[in-house]
Amino acid sequence: MPVLVMKFGGTSVADLARIKNAAQKVKREVERGYDVIVIVSAMSGKTNELVGWVEGTSPLYDAREYDAVVSSGENVTAGLMALTLQEMDIPARSWQGWQVPINTTSAHASARFVSIPRENIDAKFAEGFKVAVVAGFQGVSAEGRITTLGRGGSDTTAVAFAAAFGAERCDIYTDVDGVYTTDPRITNKARKLDKIAFEEMLELASLGAKVLQTRSVELAMRYKVRLRVLSSFEDTDENSGTLVCDEDEIMESKVVSGVAYSRDEAKLTLLRVADRPGIAAAIFGPLAEAGVNVDMIVQNISEGGEGGAFTDMTFSCPTNQVIRAKAAMDEAKAAGSITFDDMVVDSDVAKISVVGIGMRSHAGVAATMFKALASENVNIKVIATSEIKISVLIDRKYMELAVQALHDAFGLEKA
Ligand code: ASP
Ligand code: MG
């Protein structure tokens, strides 16, 4: 039997009526001849509530017990989904992570898959079970403790099962009907994409288009799992939603596929850093150790020409890491490993990025982007590019305007 993986997010299983609605979608696929692996999230809001309870016990809680508690939301929905399917005369049973077993590392709250052996579930399919309902987000460590994969992790569970079982596709049912050219709340010209390449989705996912957990897209790309994002609140068929797939499957792609943004960015500049070989390592080493996720980096030309004595170093990081970044730099200065005159922090910036695999073979994307921003009088503070992406930092108050202008400039409303 061909295998299909269907994942239902928190809003899709938020109450019994919605679980029933999701079960109906499962039933349809069973009737089409699939053995179905259903991955469920916790009911919406449940995981937050569980996290809150754990944090209420102590700020220095035991991460193993955190996982024991927060993984429980998925256990409830897995059981309820199996019961609902049984009511529809579909042979189904639930699986918690340890029962499969979903073997993971013991990095609690951010565990990674080690292996997902097929035997137990395959044996049940062979017995006549049609559906395996698996609790997402969780696994078991070599020490036999329950683990979780990090927030949003059930997307990654779904992709891992699709890879392990050679599934025809991995359908991610959620509360939006697909992946859009940009956030529809920012411009009503945003258009749903029929297909998007893994690499583009990876850029969009990590840039703040919060449809899929980034790790799930990485995993799908590595194992070439065809991923589909679609709504559980609409009637759907084989062509619904957005297919995230290999770029070979996309016949004609535009140069730019989407415009992403990230609101909570900060820009930090170290002024008059004493320049010498090893200075970048002396700055970014301590930042990494402090857990600061540095994104863009700009080093200015040194004052005084070749081998000059001073330079300015600018980098960006999430707003909520500014305090940590400042502390790390002050410490490094106090320890004498770097010297600089001053540190300037701008916490009111946003990052806007245009993404598209077509950029590899087309020139002029940067020029179009900068022209569009210039014509709206939006000043660019930092620029960074990669093979399929150009990102800029701008004042946050212009974020919506910039997204709209770029969406227009690249003609994204038209298919
Ligand atoms: N329930 C977990 C969370 O809210 C995992 C998931 O839904 O993907 O993060
Ligand atoms: Mg999610």
Side-chain angles (χ1 to χ4, degrees):
M1 288 286 190
V3 173
L4 189 70
V5 172
M6 303 172 76
K7 183 255 170 178
F8 293 94
T11 50
S12 306
V13 292
D15 55 36
L16 285 184
R18 289 192 179 174
I19 290 176
K20 195 162 172 189
N21 167 65
Q24 247 129 19
K25 293 188 181 289
V26 176
K27 182 177 182 201
R28 201 184 52 195
E29 302 296 355
V30 169
E31 286 167 355
R32 284 193 179 134
Y34 287 109
D35 280 345
V36 180
I37 298 175
V38 174
I39 310 291
V40 286
S41 285
M43 292 176 171
S44 58
K46 196 68 202 170
T47 309
N48 287 344
E49 181 184 47
L50 295 169
V51 169
W53 286 343
V54 170
E55 288 173 348
T57 63
S58 153
L60 292 172
Y61 52 77
D62 177 349
R64 292 163 298 196
E65 301 304 344
Y66 168 96
D67 277 353
V69 174
V70 302
S71 63
S72 67
E74 274 72 10
N75 297 345
V76 173
T77 40
L80 291 173
M81 176 64 82
L83 288 167
T84 308
L85 288 163
Q86 288 171 6
E87 272 309 293
M88 296 174 171
D89 291 325
I90 298 170
R93 64 156 279 188
S94 67
W95 296 83
Q96 295 183 7
W98 63 273
Q99 295 172 306
V100 175
I102 301 171
N103 298 310
T104 72
T105 62
S106 42
H108 286 277
S110 59
R112 299 200 159 238
F113 295 112
V114 173
S115 68
I116 302 178
R118 296 179 53 156
E119 292 74 42
N120 291 339
I121 287 180
D122 275 344
K124 288 294 164 189
F125 280 144
E127 270 176 37
F129 277 87
K130 287 282 144 206
V131 183
V133 186
V134 178
F137 178 52
Q138 58 175 259
V140 62
S141 71
E143 293 78 30
R145 302 296 302 257
I146 305 299
T147 56
T148 64
L149 305 171
R151 298 304 304 271
S154 41
D155 293 334
T156 306
T157 306
V159 173
F161 272 79
F165 284 79
E168 208 168 282
R169 217 180 42 241
C170 180
D171 285 345
I172 307 278
Y173 284 88
T174 177
D175 50 7
V176 294
D177 62 355
V179 179
Y180 278 71
T181 49
T182 196
D183 187 340
R185 287 169 303 185
I186 292 192
T187 167
N188 56 17
K189 293 182 192 163
R191 179 175 52 86
K192 185 171 75 69
L193 294 158
D194 291 332
K195 288 183 178 176
I196 184 166
F198 290 127
E199 279 180 282
E200 293 172 327
M201 189 63 228
L202 211 49
E203 295 291 358
L204 294 174
S206 58
L207 291 171
K210 296 181 186 66
V211 213
L212 291 169
Q213 198 198 31
T214 305
R215 269 176 66 201
S216 72
V217 185
E218 281 167 6
L219 207 60
M221 182 157 97
R222 174 139 28 105
Y223 292 99
K224 296 229 189 292
V225 171
R226 301 167 79 234
L227 253 185
R228 194 162 61 130
V229 176
L230 69 174
S231 167
S232 65
F233 303 119
E234 289 174 10
D235 274 335
T236 43
D237 60 31
E238 301 89 283
N239 300 316
S240 303
T242 300
L243 185 70
V244 189
C245 57
D246 201 80
E247 59 184 273
D248 296 345
E249 262 197 73
I250 301 172
M251 299 298 284
E252 241 178 304
S253 74
K254 306 194 95 171
V255 179
V256 168
S257 310
V259 181
Y261 64 88
S262 158
R263 185 186 299 273
D264 297 312
E265 301 285 328
K267 177 170 79 76
L268 295 87
T269 302
L270 299 175
L271 295 172
R272 276 176 69 83
V273 179
D275 199 9
R276 55 168 172 81
I279 192 66
I283 292 172
F284 294 103
L287 287 172
E289 271 159 41
V292 177
N293 297 313
V294 173
D295 181 23
M296 300 162 141
I297 298 174
V298 178
Q299 180 178 355
N300 289 33
I301 293 176
S302 293
E303 282 172 37
E306 189 66 21
F310 297 101
T311 185
D312 294 342
M313 189 77 88
T314 298
F315 60 92
S316 71
C317 71
T319 329
N320 60 8
Q321 294 178 359
V322 167
I323 294 175
R324 251 189 280 168
K326 277 195 80 166
M329 292 297 90
D330 288 338
E331 232 170 81
K333 189 178 183 180
S337 55
I338 54 174
T339 64
F340 56 87
D341 278 7
D342 201 3
M343 181 159 173
V344 183
V345 179
D346 182 354
S347 294
D348 293 317
V349 293
K351 181 171 69 169
I352 315 283
S353 307
V354 298
V355 173
I357 46 176
M359 277 185 214
R360 288 200 200 112
S361 48
H362 282 77
V365 177
T368 305
M369 180 178 194
F370 302 154
K371 223 180 283 171
L373 295 173
S375 67
E376 298 291 347
N377 271 320
V378 176
N379 188 36
I380 299 170
K381 302 186 157 196
V382 178
I383 302 169
T385 66
S386 77
E387 211 188 4
I388 67 161
K389 175 181 82 173
I390 303 172
S391 303
V392 295
L393 282 189
I394 60 170
D395 276 332
R396 189 174 302 132
K397 64 183 177 211
Y398 298 129
M399 193 183 81
E400 276 88 358
L401 176 66
V403 170
Q404 288 156 357
L406 294 171
H407 200 270
D408 285 346
F410 290 102
L412 294 182
E413 74 278 13
K414 294 185 291 286

